[in-house]
């Protein structure tokens, strides 16, 4: 299984560099603009929700504006307004003329669906919500897609947003109550994690709070979260469902839950998701957050994590705590899956001629943008290397260590590469 010895590593890096030069597809993530955006010049203390409809098939997609909504307080940093990572399959941006004043990368369930066999036969539409600070002046918002052939972003939508527009909805916020689990400081200086209840009835809210506390405690047993606990605020949102549990379509089980979650997404038994993203957006309309994790009141093994969209998992499975840490790695830090078995529905998720955006997997096309510096430093000798297999692909994609929490649930920790990526994300929200 091991693929890292000095001679092999040198050969692999050389091959990767040659392939990159030949293809012309080397993609260096764009760095944040050097200019400083003054928050109070452009934004109020509230947030703007932008609802999109993403529609298309395997070969093409389009984005349509569905709604604009003014919501509660903006929880994000007032200093980190331009995304330095450029992670995700989409890039949302706000512009004052030619001046970029806000950006955020994210991924969406729709993109995953486009890599399934069904997308070859039919067109579908998915909802997706994006949040930004509420503007003080008219701004142009844009949405760009990552082009698989090049790894670069291409604009697919643009429109002006006038904060005085009478049709920006200002509906009352969701009536769901919020319970504070951990308070470390002001929202703008912390990572604000919001647990959201799904499939809990009104009589089960005490159980929900206990489940959230257990998940929270498990997170802070593992580095780097253990050392960064003071950088988090954590709350639980009491979204009440009429029924207890979640839908299990392949077993004919259907429940009346607030957000209509279900297993069997893309016909995968364990893939538990919320296909209608506005369902969660409507329920969190009155709760500030930086990151969302949906706790589903069920004992099955299942969940998912979509970068800057949401993470979710079940409450009562024996591996629920481990699953939470793994899925939060996806949804919060943008980490990629490091396993490569055949239990997923994706077809050619990654283009082996470009560098994947996730910080913990590489095709060696642009390894210099990943963890090459950690290998060169000598500090991590014997701790990380280049191991073939990752990103649902056995050949051509590499991971940093034989095992890691992003590969298996039996791994006792994150590898140093993943820990660095998580620390950088925490810094983005708190520094």
């Amino acid at each position: 299984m091991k693929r890292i010895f000095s001679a092999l590593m040198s050969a692999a890096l050389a091959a990767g560099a040659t392939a990159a030069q030949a293809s012309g597809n080397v993609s260096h993530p764009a760095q944040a603009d050097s200019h400083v955006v003054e928050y109070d010049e452009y934004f109020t203390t509230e947030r703007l929700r932008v609802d999109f409809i993403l529609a298309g098939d395997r070969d093409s997609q389009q984005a349509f504006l569905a709604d604009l909504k003014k919501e509660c307080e903006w929880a994000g940093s007032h200093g980190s307004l331009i995304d330095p990572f450029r992670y995700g399959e989409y890039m949302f941006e706000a512009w004052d003329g030619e001046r970029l004043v806000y950006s955020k990368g994210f991924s969406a369930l729709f993109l995953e669906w486009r890599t399934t066999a069904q997308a070859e036969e039919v067109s579908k539409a998915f909802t997706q919500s994006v949040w930004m600070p509420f503007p003080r002046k008219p701004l142009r918002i844009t949405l760009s897609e990552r082009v698989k052939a090049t790894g670069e972003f291409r604009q697919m939508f643009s429109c002006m947003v006038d904060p005085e527009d009478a049709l920006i909805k200002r509906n009352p916020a969701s009536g769901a109550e919020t319970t504070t689990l951990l308070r470390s400081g002001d929202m703008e200086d912390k990572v604000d994690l919001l647990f959201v209840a799904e499939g809990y009835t009104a009589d089960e809210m005490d159980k929900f709070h206990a489940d959230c506390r257990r998940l929270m405690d498990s997170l802070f047993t593992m580095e780097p979260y253990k050392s960064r606990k003071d950088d988090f605020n954590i709350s639980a949102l009491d979204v009440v469902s009429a029924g207890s549990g979640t839908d299990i379509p392949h077993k004919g089980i259907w429940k009346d839950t607030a957000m209509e979650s279900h297993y069997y997404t893309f016909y995968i038994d364990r893939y538990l998701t919320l296909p209608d993203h506005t369902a969660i957006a409507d329920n969190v309309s009155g709760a500030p957050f930086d990151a969302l994790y949906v706790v589903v009141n069920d004992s099955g093994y299942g969940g998912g994590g979509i970068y800057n969209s949401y993470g979710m998992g079940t409450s009562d499975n024996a591996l629920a705590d481990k699953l939470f840490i793994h899925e939060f790695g996806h949804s919060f830090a943008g980490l990629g899956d490091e396993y490569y078995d055949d239990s997923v529905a994706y077809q050619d998720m990654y283009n082996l001629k470009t560098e994947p955006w996730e910080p913990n997997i590489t095709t060696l096309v642009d390894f210099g943008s990943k963890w090459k510096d950690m290998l060169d430093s000598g500090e991590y000798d014997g701790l990380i290397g280049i191991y073939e297999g990752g990103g649902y692909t056995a050949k051509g994609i590499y991971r940093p260590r034989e095992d890691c929490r992003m590969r298996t649930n039996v791994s006792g920790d994150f590898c140093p590469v993943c820990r660095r990526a998580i620390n950088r994300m925490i810094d983005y929200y708190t520094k």
Side-chain angles (χ1 to χ4, degrees):
M1 294 290 291
K2 243 179 206 186
R3 292 290 189 264
I4 176 62
F5 293 99
S6 58
L8 180 57
M9 182 173 72
S10 298
L13 292 176
T18 301
Q21 294 167 0
S23 69
N25 283 336
V26 176
S27 173
H28 298 277
Q31 299 300 309
D33 288 3
S34 59
H35 69 265
V36 175
V37 177
E38 294 294 337
Y39 184 94
D40 291 338
E41 178 182 353
Y42 287 99
F43 304 110
T44 73
T45 58
E46 297 108 340
R47 73 185 184 207
L48 175 68
R49 172 178 147 195
V50 184
D51 290 341
F52 287 106
I53 295 174
L54 301 175
D57 55 23
R58 184 177 180 86
D59 297 324
S60 64
Q61 64 176 325
Q62 292 180 282
F64 304 91
L65 180 66
D67 239 331
L68 298 170
K69 300 179 181 180
K70 187 176 186 179
E71 295 187 336
C72 66
E73 302 96 327
W74 172 251
S77 169
H78 287 197
S80 299
L81 295 170
I82 309 299
D83 187 336
F85 305 107
R86 311 289 288 181
Y87 294 166
E89 298 297 337
Y90 300 91
M91 182 60 59
F92 176 80
E93 296 173 315
W95 302 81
D96 179 21
E98 297 302 313
R99 181 182 173 85
L100 180 65
V101 297
Y102 179 80
S103 63
K104 192 80 162 192
F106 69 95
S107 291
L109 191 63
F110 176 66
L111 184 280
E112 295 183 22
W113 173 80
R114 291 185 65 214
T115 67
T116 68
Q118 188 185 47
E120 297 178 350
E121 306 295 332
V122 65
S123 297
K124 291 187 73 172
F126 286 61
T127 60
Q128 183 70 36
S129 296
V130 183
W131 289 268
M132 63 174 285
F134 195 85
R136 291 185 182 276
K137 60 198 307 187
L139 297 176
R140 179 170 57 93
I141 61 171
T142 62
L143 183 65
S144 300
E145 61 177 331
R146 192 181 295 275
V147 179
K148 188 172 183 177
T150 65
E152 303 293 341
F153 284 110
R154 175 176 62 201
Q155 184 175 303
M156 59 187 297
F157 175 88
S158 175
C159 78
M160 291 297 299
V161 173
D162 183 351
E164 299 301 321
D165 186 345
L167 294 181
I168 295 179
K169 292 183 177 178
R170 291 162 170 82
N171 296 340
S174 164
E177 294 184 4
T178 302
T179 300
T180 299
L181 305 178
L182 174 67
R183 172 75 177 177
S184 300
D186 293 338
M187 288 190 301
E188 67 179 84
D189 301 321
K190 304 297 176 183
V191 178
D192 300 287
L193 169 59
L194 183 66
F195 286 116
V196 184
E198 166 66 346
Y200 290 83
T201 64
D203 294 335
E204 294 176 307
M205 284 303 147
D206 287 344
K207 178 183 184 301
F208 170 58
H209 297 158
D211 291 339
C212 292
R213 289 190 175 92
R214 190 191 73 247
L215 294 175
M216 176 182 70
D217 290 344
S218 72
L219 184 68
F220 295 125
T221 64
M222 183 167 290
E223 294 293 356
Y225 300 109
K226 182 177 180 179
S227 298
R228 305 293 301 266
K229 183 176 181 179
D230 289 345
D231 287 311
F232 282 79
N233 292 330
I234 301 181
S235 301
L237 187 67
D238 299 354
V239 176
V240 177
S241 291
S244 181
T246 187
D247 296 342
I248 312 177
H250 53 300
K251 295 183 179 181
I253 298 173
W254 300 91
K255 300 292 183 72
D256 185 4
T257 63
M259 292 178 284
E260 299 186 348
S261 61
H262 67 76
Y263 289 99
Y264 213 48
T265 303
F266 310 147
Y267 304 99
I268 303 171
D269 290 6
R270 69 174 186 261
Y271 200 9
L272 175 63
T273 67
L274 302 168
D276 181 4
H277 195 249
T278 58
I280 185 173
D282 287 343
N283 280 287
V284 303
S285 61
F289 65 87
D290 292 317
L292 297 169
Y293 191 83
V294 180
V295 184
V296 182
N297 188 22
D298 190 70
S299 61
Y301 179 74
I306 304 172
Y307 177 60
N308 272 342
S309 188
Y310 62 84
M312 68 185 301
T314 55
S315 59
D316 297 347
N317 188 269
L319 296 174
D321 297 3
K322 297 179 184 296
L323 181 67
F324 161 53
I325 294 171
H326 175 93
E327 300 301 352
F328 193 59
H330 291 310
S331 62
F332 171 67
L335 300 177
D337 275 319
E338 295 180 8
Y339 56 81
Y340 47 93
D341 60 32
D342 59 0
S343 62
V344 297
Y346 310 129
Q347 297 181 344
D348 303 321
M349 173 70 87
Y350 294 97
N351 179 2
L352 300 184
K353 295 181 180 180
T354 65
E355 188 64 39
W357 56 263
E358 295 91 337
N360 62 319
I361 57 175
T362 181
T363 54
L364 301 178
V365 169
D366 184 17
F367 187 52
S369 68
K370 296 302 174 69
W371 60 93
K372 184 177 184 297
D373 63 312
M374 299 175 75
L375 296 181
D376 292 344
S377 72
E379 181 181 352
Y380 300 94
D381 286 352
L383 300 177
I384 57 172
I386 304 173
Y387 295 79
E388 191 164 26
Y392 325 116
T393 305
K395 300 291 183 181
I397 295 182
Y398 302 83
R399 62 190 189 280
R401 199 174 69 180
E402 179 64 32
D403 202 9
C404 170
R405 182 47 60 88
M406 297 312 296
R407 182 171 182 233
T408 70
N409 284 323
V410 299
S411 175
D413 63 355
F414 288 103
C415 73
V417 173
C418 290
R419 289 201 296 270
R420 180 173 73 170
I422 294 168
N423 271 318
R424 286 175 170 176
M425 190 61 68
I426 295 173
D427 289 344
Y428 167 71
Y429 284 100
T430 60
K431 301 297 185 183

